[in-house]
Amino acid sequence: MADSTTAAPAPLREALSRHPFFSDLTPARLDRLAACARLRDIGAGEMLFHQGGDADRFFVLTRGTVCVENRTDGRPSVLQTLHEGDVLGWSWLTPPFRWAFDARAAAPGQVVEVAVAPLRLAFAADGAFGYAVVSRFAGVMGQRLRAAHMLMLERGAG
């Protein structure tokens, strides 16, 4: 992760500034976010997190495809497929801070991985920054819950 006292590396800052989720943050807030983050290449089949694991980060998809999965009868069942422009992982926002599902890269790609421990410290220093980020995740949570509800209806009807 970048040192919070220095400017973010150009590729990382650019990836965040171009991403629809964060594109309207001020340059100072983008730097604060980038100070908690790193660019990471992901390979097809790579697990980003496992259900029940410590939800200590979230991911900004800049390239590739990730499947959110639930294990039933020992086999993964895809709940949702996420693509470039999506954000993955909101379990860090709510206790007990454990992943609710698995996430697997379906194709090679790239993510911005954001560590939430330093991000929470940044929120404490700048409450408006914290509100700006958390309110974005509230929208994601609502959208994902609606998608899960629709999936349950479809599977129940079949």
Side-chain angles (χ1 to χ4, degrees), residues 39-126:
L39 277 173
R40 180 175 148 200
D41 291 326
I42 55 174
E46 181 179 337
M47 295 298 294
L48 296 177
F49 53 80
H50 293 278
Q51 181 178 352
D54 190 21
D56 58 356
R57 61 194 179 252
F58 68 86
F59 302 90
V60 179
L61 278 70
T62 58
R63 205 175 62 241
T65 304
V66 173
C67 293
V68 178
E69 303 172 340
N70 188 33
R71 290 204 162 269
T72 50
D73 300 325
R75 294 178 315 187
S77 172
V78 176
L79 299 174
Q80 192 169 24
T81 302
L82 305 176
H83 306 279
E84 180 179 329
D86 287 325
V87 175
L88 172 65
W90 51 266
S91 295
W92 66 275
L93 284 168
T94 58
F97 309 111
R98 298 277 179 216
W99 296 117
F101 303 104
D102 292 339
R104 178 188 320 269
Q110 185 181 63
V111 296
V112 175
E113 181 180 294
V114 181
V116 298
L119 187 63
R120 287 185 178 117
L121 293 174
F123 289 175
D126 182 353

Side-chain angles (χ1 to χ4, degrees), residues 27-47:
R29 289 187 175 151
L30 279 171
D31 282 340
R32 273 204 159 151
L33 181 64
C36 305
R38 68 182 178 127
L39 277 173
R40 180 175 148 200
D41 291 326
I42 55 174
E46 181 179 337
M47 295 298 294

